[in-house]
Structure formats: structure tokens, C-alpha cells
């Protein structure tokens, strides 16, 4: 027996997949593995033993329901598929090794030709053909003879298979000489594989590359091929059945009714009974449907009543909807205010800068004028600094300033004469006039800022910029759900929400002007008061929640603005500004204090800024010069006029300081007004003055500025300590006047002493000068 060469993995895979891949392999024309297979069959040496064993195996044809394994990937699977289809007739071929090789070569030669010429058409023919001719013994013998002749001559086998004459001759020769077949020992046993041709190597390389990349695609393709095959088979079977039916219909005969068949006799009673039975069943069914219908009607009624009860008894859905709407509203409100707050701050800064520039202009002008006028008078009093012609050598700036001062004073005198105010004292004017050009620029800038103020909320809905509408939302919450309203401390949040809106309304509010709008007349103030008055809290909560909203707004918004105005814009020498500021401060600090015993930091800051600003005014703006008597003897001398103006200016500040009585503490006012201003400046100026009606008038003005509540105690016999210097000056003036032509002025001085509760000093003076007629003044008091 011939030795078989060792088979490779691909050969074993091909042998194992011959039977499994018989159905799906023919449907893949043009696949790489079909092209490579014939080449290996033509030029590679056949494996005799392996092929004999494969030929000895019967070929099985799978039925319509059989499927091959889609994961099969052998090269020989494509070659075995046609042979599997050809084996529809179950046969067993028992041939020798050479015969099997001959069959193999001839079949592969045919396959090669079919694939190279028209692979698509041959595939269709193979699928449609039901039977394939299997080579018989004569054809195999002829092929073997032809191969031997080719080997003997040129070792060449022609690709042309159409040699009918040669085949028939070889067939006859083989029939005549049956013993010409070589024995087993004469066979040439190949011990090595024949070198592969270039085509085989290319095919194997292509197969090895495609095996890795097309395993998954092959499975899908084979699945699709198998499905198409099954569809073709199913269509073919249906068509055959239709043909059989068409043939069978012509030969079939129409069956006739068999009269021999007998039926059950039917009479009227049976029909009636069946109808009654059917009617009973229908009635029962109808009754059951009626019961179900009544049940459903009752369920619908019950559901509707339940819904109504739930809607009337529980408002959870409405509550949730309301809280959700309030949450969305507050979030949108906060977003709106956060977006607008930057613009509001810019407008506030612009207005503050404009007012500050104006205030600094007035202050600097007053200080410069005071400095230049004082210098001019000092030079005027020095004869050694005068020129030969008797005129002072003044620089242009000083000359221009003095002219401006005199021009404004003249205009004010004319205005007072027209108004009929003849009791006005020089030096008590505020001197806050601006040139027409500067006034026009100021008004234009102020108008531009106010236009920006109006445009801040022009693109915002009223529900988010109108304080009354905002408070109305929270009022609805308070009325519907008071518990949740107070539990969430809404009263603490409302002042913060309203802060930007109130600040917008305060941009053009200047409490330093007499014609400024009061807080109570402002729209936001009225809206907050109405909201507080509509509170439904009990008396215990009223003192700690909604009733404190207005106080909180004042302390968090109004007082800080007032503090800035006092620190940077307020002029304590201006009586109009001081009066207006005190009016607003009384409303804020007295009527809307948070609590009697509670100390507000903002309130403390405001009062500190007021005291600090007045101290600065006393130190920087008060200047009362002292000139020799020779310089002030003449009532028309400029030295006397300047001195008088400065005294009355100091007395004006003294009056403005004491106007804060009731807002500032008595100790603060006494220290600031009496200690720093009266005793340090005013008394010294009075001592330098000649006693007479003018001095008595000044003393009366000083006493008129003193608060009456300081002397309300009827048991007082001596005045307050800070007035001791003033009392001594009154007594000295009374002594001098009693010996002069102005003795009638002594009575006025005694009245001043009585007013300030210096009763002991007044009695001693009356007794010393034997003025018994004045004792009645003390007793009346």
C-alpha cells in the first residue's frame, strides 16, 4: 500500500468540511477560495490515500431544512460543494488510487474552465440541474491513459478537454486490454510536495489575508446565501405543486351528491326548542351585560364624587402650584434685580459725583475768598506796605476775587431789598450762587442722569419693578398661607428685595434742599405702610415681623444714603441745608426707630458723621479776626465790616449746631456749640467789641439759640457750667452800660441772665447797683 504524505491543516479542514459545506458552497461564485482551489488541484500532487478515503465515503445530500455551518472557512469546502450537489443519487464509488486521481484532475479541470469563462452562468445552471453525469470506468481509464502519455512525452497535460476521438480510442483500448493497469509496486510514490507555482502562492497569500478579515463577513454572507437557497427551493416546490394541481384538475371528476346518506329527522318542536335555548342564552348574556353596565355607571359616579371630595377637601395641588409660581416669581425677580443693580450703582455714582463737585466748588471758593480778603485787610492795616500813592499793590487774582465777592453781595442786597427783608445781617448768607454757565452745565448733567434713571426699568414688567405689585404678591401669600409665610421669615427678605427699587427712586432725592420730597410722600413709603397695615398677625408677632419692614428699610437703605450726604455734601454753615436735613432726620430717627432700647449701627454712624462734619466746620470755616480799635472805630471801615461778617457767620454756625437739639445728646451739643464755638470764638469777639446796643443784640441772639429744655428745671439757680464765661461777659457789659448812656440796655442783660437760669448772679447784680425795679423780673420767672 502506498505511503501517504502528511496532510496539512488546510487539507484536513477541507476533508472535514466536504459534507458540511455542500449546500452553501456553490452559491459563492467568484470567492477567492474557489479560484485558488483549481490551481492546487492541477499542479499539486494528489494525496492518494486521503482521496480514496473521501471517495469511499457516500455523499449525502441535505434536505431543504438542512443548513451548513456558517463558521466553516476551509479552501476545500468550495470545491466539495459541487460534488455534494452532484451526489443527489446516493452512490458509493470504489476506485483505485489512480482512478480517483483521474477523477479529481478531470473534475478540477472542468471547474477551472467554468470559473475562468462564465462563473455566474455556470453557477445558475448547477443550481437548476437536478442530475449530474458521473464519469464511468471507461472515461476514467481514458483519462489515466492520457495522463501517462503526457508524462511519457513532455510531462504536459493540455487544458483542452474536447478530444472526443482520443477519448473514444482510449476507451476502446482500455476495454481490449484490461490488464494494462499498473500494479501498486509500479506506482510512483511522491515523498515531497511538488513546488508550488506562482499562481498557487498568490492564491494562498490572498486566502490567508482574507481569512482574517472576512470571517465575520463570510458568516453573514453564508447566512444570506442559505436563506436565498431556501427561498428558491420553496418557490420551486410551490411551482411544482401548482403544475401537479393543474394536471390533476383536468382528470378529476365532479363528485355527485350521494342520496343514500340519511339525516336526522327535523320537526317544529325541535326547532322551537333550539330557538328557545338560544333565546335563553341571549337573555342571560344581556342581563349580565346590564349588570356590568350598572356597575360601571356606579363606578363612574363614585369616581366623580371622589374627585369632587378630594378637590373640595384637599388643596395640595393648588398649594403646590402656588408655591411653585411664587418660587419662579422670586427667582425671576432676583435675576432682574441682579441684572439692574450694576446700572443703578453707576447712576448713583454719577449723581453723587455731580453733587460732590458742586459742594467742593462752594467750599473751596469760600475758603479762598476768606483767605484773600483776610490777607488784603492785613495789608491794608499796615502802613509800611502801602505804596507812595496810598494804594495797595494787589495781584490780579486777589483783585478779581474781591470784585467777585462784592458783586455777589450786591446782588444779594438787591434781592433782599426787593423782598423787604431789612433785618438781615451781613455774613449770614450761604453764598451758594453759581455763574450762569456753570449752572447750565450742572442742570444739563443732572438732566442726563435723570433720563438714565427713567430708563433703568423701562424694559421690565410692572410685576418686577413696581413695589406695590411686588408687595401684593407677598400679601397674597400671607393671606392664603400665613403659617408658611411667617415660618420662612419673608419680612426679613422683603427689605433686601426692595432695596434696588427704592434706591432708584432716591437718585434725585436730595434731603439738603428745602423743597425736597419727604419720605412719607414717596410712593414706596406708602406702599410699604399699606402692606404693614394689612398684616393679619396676632399682637405677639406684630412687634417682630411685618411691622419692622419699614424700619429695616430705613436703617438699611435710607440712613446709609443720608450718611453719605452728610459726610460729603452737607454744609453746616448753610441754614437751609441744615434745616432740611434735620427735618428728614427727625422723621427717620424718631418716628421709625426699630425699638426703644435697640441701638442701630446705621443710626450711630449717621450721628457720628453729623458731629464730625460740624467739628470740621468749626475748625476750618470759623475765622473771626481781631483788629486794633483804631481800625474798627470807623463804622464804615472794611476791617469792621469783615469782622462783623465773620462774627455773624460764626453765630450762624452756632445756631445751626444747636438746631440738632433732640437728635444729638446734650453733652455733645454743649461741648461742640458752647465749648468749641461760643467760648473759643464768639466770646473773644464780643470782648473785643465796644459795649453798646450792638453787643446787647449779639448777646440776645446767642441766648435765643440756646435750647429751652436746658433750663426747664425751675429749681435751677445757676446756669450750666459751659455758660459761665458768657454770664461773666453779660455782667461786665451790664456794669459798663449802667454807667453809660445805654443804661436802658441793662434790663435786657438781666432778662438774658434770667433766661439762662443765672438767677444768683442777676440778684447780686441788682442788689449791688440798687436796681430794685428789676427784682420783679426775677420773681416773674
Amino acid at each position: 500500500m502506498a505511503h501517504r504524505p502528511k496532510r496539512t491543516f488546510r487539507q484536513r479542514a477541507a476533508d472535514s468540511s466536504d459534507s458540511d459545506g455542500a449546500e452553501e458552497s456553490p452559491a459563492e461564485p467568484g470567492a477567492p477560495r474557489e479560484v485558488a482551489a483549481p490551481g492546487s488541484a492541477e499542479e499539486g500532487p494528489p494525496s492518494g490515500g486521503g482521496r480514496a478515503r473521501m471517495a469511499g465515503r457516500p455523499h449525502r445530500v441535505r434536505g431543504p431544512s438542512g443548513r451548513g455551518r456558517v463558521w466553516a472557512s476551509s479552501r476545500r469546502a468550495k470545491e466539495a460543494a459541487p460534488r455534494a450537489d452532484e451526489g443527489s443519487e446516493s452512490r458509493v464509488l470504489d476506485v483505485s488510487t489512480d482512478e480517483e486521481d483521474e477523477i479529481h484532475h478531470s473534475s478540477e479541470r472542468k471547474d477551472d474552465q467554468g470559473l475562468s469563462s462564465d462563473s455566474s452562468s455556470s453557477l445558475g445552471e448547477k443550481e437548476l440541474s437536478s442530475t449530474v453525469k458521473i464519469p464511468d470506468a471507461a472515461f476514467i481509464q481514458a483519462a489515466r491513459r492520457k495522463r501517462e502519455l503526457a508524462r511519457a512525452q513532455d510531462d504536459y497535460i493540455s487544458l483542452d478537454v474536447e478530444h472526443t476521438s482520443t477519448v473514444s480510442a482510449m476507451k476502446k483500448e482500455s476495454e481490449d486490454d484490461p490488464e494494462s493497469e499498473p500494479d501498486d509496486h509500479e506506482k510512483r510514490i511522491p515523498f515531497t510536495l511538488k513546488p508550488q507555482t506562482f499562481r498557487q502562492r498568490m492564491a494562498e497569500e490572498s486566502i490567508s489575508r482574507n481569512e482574517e478579515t472576512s470571517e465575520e463577513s463570510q458568516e453573514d454572507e453564508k447566512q444570506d446565501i442559505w436563506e436565498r437557497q431556501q427561498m428558491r427551493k420553496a418557490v420551486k416546490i410551490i411551482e411544482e405543486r401548482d403544475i401537479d394541481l393543474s394536471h390533476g384538475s383536468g382528470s378529476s371528476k365532479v363528485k355527485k351528491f350521494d342520496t343514500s346518506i340519511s339525516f336526522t329527522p327535523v320537526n317544529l318542536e325541535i326547532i322551537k326548542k333550539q330557538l328557545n335555548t338560544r333565546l335563553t342564552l341571549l337573555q342571560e348574556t344581556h342581563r349580565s351585560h346590564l349588570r356590568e353596565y350598572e356597575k360601571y355607571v356606579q363606578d363612574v359616579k363614585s369616581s366623580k364624587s371622589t374627585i369632587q371630595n378630594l378637590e373640595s377637601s384637599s388643596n395640595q395641588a393648588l398649594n403646590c402650584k402656588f408655591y411653585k409660581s411664587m418660587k419662579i416669581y422670586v427667582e425671576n425677580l432676583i435675576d432682574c434685580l441682579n441684572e439692574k443693580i450694576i446700572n443703578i450703582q453707576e447712576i448713583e455714582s454719577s449723581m453723587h459725583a455731580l453733587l460732590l463737585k458742586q459742594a467742593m466748588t462752594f467750599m473751596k471758593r469760600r475758603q479762598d475768598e476768606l483767605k484773600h480778603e483776610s490777607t488784603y485787610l492785613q495789608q491794608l492795616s499796615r502802613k509800611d506796605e502801602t505804596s507812595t500813592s496810598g494804594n495797595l499793590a494787589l495781584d490780579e487774582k486777589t483783585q478779581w476775587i474781591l470784585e467777585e465777592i462784592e458783586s455777589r453781595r450786591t446782588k444779594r442786597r438787591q434781592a433782599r431789598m426787593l423782598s423787604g427783608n431789612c433785618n438781615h445781617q451781613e455774613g449770614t448768607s450761604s453764598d451758594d450762587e453759581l455763574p450762569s454757565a456753570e449752572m447750565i452745565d450742572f442742570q444739563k448733567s443732572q438732566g442726563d442722569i435723570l433720563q438714565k434713571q427713567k430708563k433703568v426699568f423701562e424694559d421690565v414688567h410692572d410685576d418686577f419693578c413696581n413695589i406695590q405689585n411686588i408687595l401684593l404678591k407677598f400679601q397674597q401669600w400671607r393671606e392664603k398661607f400665613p403659617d408658611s409665610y411667617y415660618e420662612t421669615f419673608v419680612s426679613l427678605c422683603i427689605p433686601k428685595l426692595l432695596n434696588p427699587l427704592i434706591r432708584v427712586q432716591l437718585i434725585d432725592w436730595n434731603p439738603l434742599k428745602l423743597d425736597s420730597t419727604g419720605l412719607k410722600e414717596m410712593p414706596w413709603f406708602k406702599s410699604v405702610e399699606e402692606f404693614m397695615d394689612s398684616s393679619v398677625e396676632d399682637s405677639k408677632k406684630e412687634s417682630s415681623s411685618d411691622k419692622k419692614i419699614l424700619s429695616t428699610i430705613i436703617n438699611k437703605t435710607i440712613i446709609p444714603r443720608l450718611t453719605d450726604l452728610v459726610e460729603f455734601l452737607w454744609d453746616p454753615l448753610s441754614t437751609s441745608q441744615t434745616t432740611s436735613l434735620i427735618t428728614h432726620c427727625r422723621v427717620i430717627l424718631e418716628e421709625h426707630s426699630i425699638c426703644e432700647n435697640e441701638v442701630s449701627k446705621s443710626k450711630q454712624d449717621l450721628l457720628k458723621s453729623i458731629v464730625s462734619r460740624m467739628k470740621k466746620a468749626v475748625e476750618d470755616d470759623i475765622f473771626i479776626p481781631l483788629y486794633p480799635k483804631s481800625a474798627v472805630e470807623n463804622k464804615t471801615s472794611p476791617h469792621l465790616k469783615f469782622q462783623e461778617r465773620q462774627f455773624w457767620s460764626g453765630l450762624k454756625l452756632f445756631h445751626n449746631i444747636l438746631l440738632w437739639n433732640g437728635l444729638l445728646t446734650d453733652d455733645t451739643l454743649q461741648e461742640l456749640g458752647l465749648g468749641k464755638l461760643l467760648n473759643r470764638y464768639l466770646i473773644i469777639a464780643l470782648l473785643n467789641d465796644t459795649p453798646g446796643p450792638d453787643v446787647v443784640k449779639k448777646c440776645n441772639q446767642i441766648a435765643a439759640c440756646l435750647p429751652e429744655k436746658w433750663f426747664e428745671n425751675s429749681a435751677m439757680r445757676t446756669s450750666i457750667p459751659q455758660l459761665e464765661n458768657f454770664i461773666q461777659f453779660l455782667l461786665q457789659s451790664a456794669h459798663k452800660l449802667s454807667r453809660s448812656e445805654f443804661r436802658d440796655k441793662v434790663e435786657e442783660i438781666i432778662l438774658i441772665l434770667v433766661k439762662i437760669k443765672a438767677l444768683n448772679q442777676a440778684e447780686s447784680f441788682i442788689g449791688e447797683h440798687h436796681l430794685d425795679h428789676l427784682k420783679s423780673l426775677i420773681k416773674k420767672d
Side-chain angles (χ1 to χ4, degrees):
M1 184 175 180
H3 295 282
R4 291 177 296 176
K6 186 176 181 180
R7 298 168 63 186
T8 62
F9 171 75
R10 296 184 182 276
Q11 290 170 340
R12 289 197 301 271
D15 294 338
S16 62
S17 61
D18 282 343
S19 60
D20 296 332
E23 285 296 323
E24 61 270 24
S25 297
E28 295 182 35
R33 297 177 186 179
E34 279 190 302
V35 177
S40 62
E42 285 177 3
E43 299 187 14
S47 299
R51 295 184 184 276
R53 185 162 54 254
M54 181 180 64
R57 237 187 258 120
H59 292 276
R60 298 179 182 178
V61 180
R62 293 181 182 270
S65 62
R67 285 191 60 183
R69 288 173 289 182
V70 296
W71 47 264
S73 59
S74 174
R75 289 188 302 167
R76 299 297 299 276
K78 305 294 186 298
E79 301 173 9
R83 290 194 297 270
D85 289 337
E86 294 170 2
S88 59
E89 299 178 2
S90 204
R91 291 183 179 182
V92 178
L93 301 178
D94 189 10
V95 294
S96 64
T97 305
D98 293 336
E99 291 174 348
E100 189 267 342
D101 292 338
E102 191 68 27
I103 295 170
H104 177 69
H105 281 284
S106 62
S107 62
E108 288 181 346
R109 207 160 42 242
K110 291 181 179 180
D111 292 340
D112 189 20
Q113 290 178 354
L115 289 172
S116 62
S117 61
D118 51 350
S119 59
S120 61
S121 62
S122 63
L123 179 62
E125 293 174 359
K126 287 179 182 181
E127 291 178 351
L128 296 176
S129 62
S130 60
T131 60
V132 179
K133 293 181 181 181
I134 299 176
D136 54 3
F139 183 79
I140 295 172
Q141 187 66 21
R144 185 175 63 78
R145 293 298 181 186
K146 183 180 179 181
R147 185 183 63 187
E148 289 178 354
L149 290 173
R151 289 176 179 173
Q153 294 176 2
D154 296 327
D155 196 12
Y156 169 76
I157 299 176
S158 177
L159 296 177
D160 188 8
V161 296
E162 298 180 357
H163 301 290
T164 56
S165 61
T166 305
V167 172
S168 61
M170 290 178 66
K171 179 179 180 183
K172 292 179 181 179
E173 183 180 355
S174 63
E175 288 177 356
D176 295 339
D177 190 8
E179 295 180 358
S180 60
E181 183 176 355
D183 298 333
D184 292 339
H185 66 277
E186 294 178 357
K187 294 180 180 179
R188 185 168 51 185
I189 302 174
F191 291 96
T192 60
L193 294 176
K194 186 177 180 179
Q196 292 181 340
T197 63
F198 178 74
R199 181 179 178 184
Q200 288 176 327
R201 291 196 300 274
M202 292 295 294
E204 288 185 358
E205 291 177 0
S206 175
I207 289 170
S208 62
R209 286 194 301 267
N210 292 335
E211 280 180 353
E212 297 177 356
T213 59
S214 63
E215 282 187 0
E216 296 181 358
S217 61
Q218 280 181 357
E219 293 180 359
D220 297 335
E221 291 174 358
K222 289 179 180 180
Q223 178 70 19
D224 296 338
I225 292 170
W226 181 84
E227 292 176 356
R228 289 196 295 270
Q229 288 177 354
Q230 300 305 317
M231 291 296 296
R232 292 192 195 100
K233 291 177 182 179
V235 172
K236 185 176 181 181
I237 292 172
I238 293 172
E239 291 176 352
E240 291 177 355
R241 290 178 181 176
D242 293 340
I243 294 172
D244 294 341
L245 289 174
S246 63
H247 288 292
S249 62
S251 60
S252 62
K253 295 181 180 180
V254 178
K255 292 183 180 180
K256 296 182 179 180
F257 179 72
D258 190 1
T259 57
S260 62
I261 299 174
S262 61
F263 293 95
T264 304
V266 179
N267 53 23
L268 185 60
E269 293 295 331
I270 294 174
I271 295 173
K272 184 178 180 181
K273 184 177 180 181
Q274 290 179 354
L275 290 176
N276 289 331
T277 304
R278 178 63 176 168
L279 180 60
T280 304
L281 292 175
L282 292 175
Q283 289 176 349
E284 290 179 357
T285 304
H286 178 65
R287 284 192 295 270
S288 64
H289 289 171
L290 287 176
R291 288 192 296 269
E292 291 179 359
Y293 172 75
E294 293 176 357
K295 180 182 178 182
Y296 293 150
V297 170
Q298 292 296 328
D299 291 342
V300 170
K301 291 181 179 180
S302 176
S303 300
K304 289 182 178 180
S305 62
T306 303
I307 292 172
Q308 292 177 356
N309 293 333
L310 291 175
E311 289 179 350
S312 61
S313 62
S314 176
N315 294 326
Q316 295 300 325
L318 295 176
N319 297 354
C320 181
K321 183 178 180 180
F322 176 81
Y323 288 132
K324 186 176 181 181
S325 64
M326 281 300 300
K327 178 178 179 293
I328 295 173
Y329 173 77
V330 173
E331 289 177 352
N332 293 334
L333 177 61
I334 293 173
D335 292 340
C336 174
L337 297 178
N338 287 336
E339 182 179 349
K340 298 295 183 180
I341 190 65
I342 299 176
N343 194 12
I344 294 171
Q345 291 174 351
E346 292 178 355
I347 297 174
E348 282 182 335
S349 300
S350 300
M351 181 62 77
H352 183 77
L354 182 65
L355 297 176
L356 178 62
K357 180 181 178 182
Q358 186 186 46
M360 295 301 295
T361 300
F362 291 146
M363 186 179 300
K364 186 174 184 302
R365 186 180 69 181
R366 182 171 63 234
Q367 292 177 354
D368 290 343
E369 290 176 353
L370 179 63
K371 178 180 177 181
H372 285 84
E373 190 171 7
S374 175
T375 303
Y376 165 72
L377 293 175
Q378 288 179 0
Q379 293 177 0
L380 188 62
S381 63
R382 298 173 185 174
K383 293 182 180 181
D384 57 339
E385 293 181 2
T386 59
S387 61
T388 56
S389 60
N391 296 326
L392 291 176
L394 299 176
D395 57 352
E396 295 181 359
K397 183 177 181 181
T398 303
Q399 185 68 30
W400 177 79
I401 290 175
L402 293 176
E403 291 177 357
E404 285 291 325
I405 294 172
E406 191 60 31
S407 174
R408 290 197 303 273
R409 287 172 182 167
T410 303
K411 291 180 181 179
R412 287 195 294 269
R413 290 191 196 102
Q414 293 175 356
R416 287 194 296 270
M417 289 176 63
L418 293 176
S419 62
N421 186 9
C422 300
N423 296 326
H424 182 77
Q425 297 292 333
E426 291 286 345
T428 57
S429 299
S430 298
D431 194 15
D432 53 359
E433 297 89 354
L434 280 175
S436 59
E438 294 183 7
M439 181 61 67
I440 292 173
D441 293 340
F442 174 80
Q443 292 176 354
K444 183 178 181 301
S445 300
Q446 189 177 28
D448 295 339
I449 294 173
L450 295 179
Q451 286 296 325
K452 293 180 181 179
Q453 174 202 7
K454 294 178 181 179
K455 295 180 180 179
V456 173
F457 290 105
E458 67 177 0
D459 59 340
V460 180
H461 195 272
D462 287 344
D463 289 343
F464 299 95
C465 64
N466 190 298
I467 294 178
Q468 187 174 4
N469 293 347
I470 294 172
L471 293 176
L472 184 61
K473 293 282 187 180
F474 290 100
Q475 184 176 350
Q476 293 175 356
W477 185 2
R478 184 176 62 187
E479 292 175 354
K480 291 182 178 180
F481 312 103
D483 293 338
S484 62
Y485 174 85
Y486 294 116
E487 288 175 359
T488 52
F489 301 99
V490 176
S491 59
L492 299 179
C493 303
I494 289 178
K496 296 181 180 179
L497 291 175
L498 301 183
N499 177 269
L501 302 173
I502 295 174
R503 287 166 61 181
V504 171
Q505 297 185 23
L506 295 178
I507 288 176
D508 61 338
W509 179 63
N510 189 356
L512 301 179
K513 293 184 177 180
L514 290 175
D515 58 349
S516 61
T517 306
L519 289 179
K520 292 184 178 182
E521 285 74 28
M522 290 185 176
W524 67 266
F525 192 94
K526 297 179 181 179
S527 300
V528 174
E529 276 192 332
E530 291 177 1
F531 179 77
M532 292 168 53
D533 294 338
S534 63
S535 176
V536 295
E537 294 180 282
D538 53 32
S539 58
K540 182 178 180 181
K541 292 183 179 179
E542 282 181 358
S543 60
S544 60
S545 56
D546 284 354
K547 294 302 178 181
K548 297 174 65 175
I549 291 177
L550 186 58
S551 300
T552 305
I553 291 174
I554 290 174
N555 281 278
K556 298 295 184 181
T557 306
I558 307 302
I559 292 181
R561 177 167 177 78
L562 277 178
T563 303
D564 292 339
L565 293 174
V566 168
E567 288 181 358
F568 302 103
L569 305 179
W570 176 44
D571 182 11
L573 287 174
S574 173
T575 304
S576 61
Q577 291 186 12
T578 303
T579 304
S580 178
L581 181 62
I582 290 173
T583 302
H584 291 288
C585 287
R586 289 190 186 279
V587 175
I588 293 171
L589 300 179
E590 291 183 357
E591 297 186 11
H592 300 286
S593 59
I594 296 178
C595 187
E596 294 181 0
N597 299 325
E598 186 175 355
V599 179
S600 173
K601 183 179 182 299
S602 59
K603 180 180 177 181
Q604 288 182 344
D605 294 339
L606 175 60
L607 297 179
K608 287 180 181 179
S609 63
I610 292 172
V611 174
S612 175
R613 185 67 186 89
M614 289 190 296
K615 286 182 179 179
K616 188 174 185 299
V618 171
E619 295 172 358
D620 297 344
D621 298 328
I622 300 303
F623 173 69
I624 304 176
L626 300 177
Y627 296 111
K629 291 185 178 180
S630 60
V632 296
E633 285 179 354
N634 187 3
K635 300 297 181 181
T636 60
S637 67
H639 299 83
L640 180 61
K641 291 180 179 180
F642 180 71
Q643 188 180 43
E644 290 293 315
R645 285 196 298 269
Q646 290 304 114
F647 176 84
W648 287 106
S649 177
L651 185 59
K652 179 182 178 181
L653 179 59
F654 179 75
H655 171 261
N656 294 340
I657 291 174
L658 296 181
L659 286 176
W660 290 97
N661 177 43
L663 297 177
L664 299 177
T665 61
D666 293 341
D667 294 339
T668 302
L669 291 178
Q670 291 173 8
E671 178 186 359
L672 186 61
L674 303 181
K676 293 183 177 294
L677 184 55
L678 178 62
N679 295 332
R680 186 178 299 179
Y681 293 98
L682 300 181
I683 297 299
I684 294 176
L686 290 174
L687 291 174
N688 194 44
D689 210 352
T690 302
D694 293 337
V695 173
V696 175
K697 182 179 179 180
K698 293 176 182 178
C699 292
N700 279 322
Q701 292 293 330
I702 293 173
C705 295
L706 298 174
E708 294 181 358
K709 77 168 191 175
W710 289 357
F711 314 104
E712 289 178 352
N713 189 0
S714 59
M716 288 181 61
R717 302 294 296 177
T718 58
S719 185
I720 55 179
Q722 288 84 352
L723 290 176
E724 185 64 29
N725 293 334
F726 181 59
I727 294 171
Q728 293 299 325
F729 172 75
L730 290 175
L731 294 175
Q732 292 178 8
S733 300
H735 283 293
K736 293 179 181 180
L737 291 174
S738 64
R739 294 190 296 267
S740 66
E741 57 182 347
F742 303 108
R743 295 187 62 181
D744 56 338
K745 298 296 181 182
V746 175
E747 183 177 355
E748 295 183 15
I749 294 177
I750 297 299
L751 291 176
I752 294 173
L753 292 173
V754 171
K755 181 179 179 181
I756 62 177
K757 293 296 182 180
L759 301 180
N760 294 335
Q761 291 86 342
E763 288 179 354
S764 62
F765 178 80
I766 291 173
E768 182 180 353
H769 292 81
H770 307 285
L771 301 175
D772 296 335
H773 63 284
L774 297 178
K775 290 183 179 179
S776 61
L777 299 176
I778 299 175
K779 292 179 180 179
K780 288 180 181 179
D781 186 76

